[in-house]
Structure formats: structure tokens, C-alpha cells
Amino acid sequence: QWRKAAELIGEMRRDGLAPNLACYTPALAACADAAEWRPALELWESLLRDGITPDALAAGAALDACLAGRVPQSGLAVVEQLEQVRTRRPPRRLFTRAEAAAALAATPAPPNDTLP
């Protein structure tokens, strides 16, 4: 489903239409549902290049894709980019989720030899 959503955005461009936030957000959500973080980040960068001001829903979908793909640092970068392009501060919950996932990823796993 994420491929079709990304293809539709490409088709819009080829037809001379400008995709908007309402096009990007479901495409990002489809990437999140499939744990496809690379396409989600490509869509996110495309959205920013197109001069679209993202909202918390679009950023949350991109963040979810990154977390599902186990790349929390990339998700944190998405939230930081959202903060840079928006006039209002993004919801704290986005930062909290991204920061917690990044911290968890940086924590070494406990050794497996703790069982007798």
C-alpha cells in the first residue's frame, strides 16, 4: 500500500499537479504501517523540498515509520525538522516518543547468560 501511495505522489508531479499535505500524510502513514522507514524519509524530504509546512500528523507518521524500522535517531531528526519549519512548537509527545526510543536504542542489551 505504501508503494501505491508514493507512486500516486509521483504521478501527480508528472501530471503537473502539486501534492499537498493531505497527499503526503496518508503516504507517510502507509509507510509507518509497513515499517518502511526509508521511503517514509524520502517522502518527508520531498514534502519539505516542496515547501509544504508539515503538521504533527505527518511528522508523527514519519516518526512511527522510523520507530517501526528501528531507526529512532532518524525519527528524532524528523521531529527536530518539524520544530525548525513550524512557527508553533510541535507537541511534546512527539519529542518524548522519539527521545525515549533513541535512548532505548542506545542502551546495551542485558547479557543472555543471567539464567542458571
Side-chain angles (χ1 to χ4, degrees):
Q1 192 176 18
W2 67 268
R3 278 192 179 108
K4 184 62 177 169
E7 287 172 7
L8 287 173
I9 290 174
E11 287 176 22
M12 287 181 70
R13 279 201 185 89
R14 283 189 294 280
D15 291 343
L17 301 171
N20 60 20
L21 189 59
C23 300
Y24 278 104
T25 301
L28 289 164
C31 289
D33 289 344
E36 291 289 345
W37 63 274
R38 283 185 181 100
L41 290 179
E42 289 172 9
L43 286 166
W44 178 258
E45 292 298 325
S46 178
L47 177 150
L48 295 175
R49 272 193 313 274
D50 286 348
I52 298 169
T53 302
D55 62 7
L57 287 175
L63 170 61
D64 287 344
C66 292
L67 297 182
R70 299 178 188 243
V71 289
Q73 292 295 344
S74 295
L76 186 56
V78 164
V79 177
E80 289 169 349
Q81 288 173 328
L82 176 66
E83 184 177 39
Q84 292 172 3
V85 299
R86 298 251 340 221
T87 55
R88 290 185 359 192
R89 183 162 171 77
R92 180 72 200 146
R93 71 180 183 278
L94 289 179
F95 278 106
T96 302
R97 287 176 44 219
E99 291 166 344
L104 186 61
T107 305
N112 267 347
D113 60 356
T114 58
L115 296 176

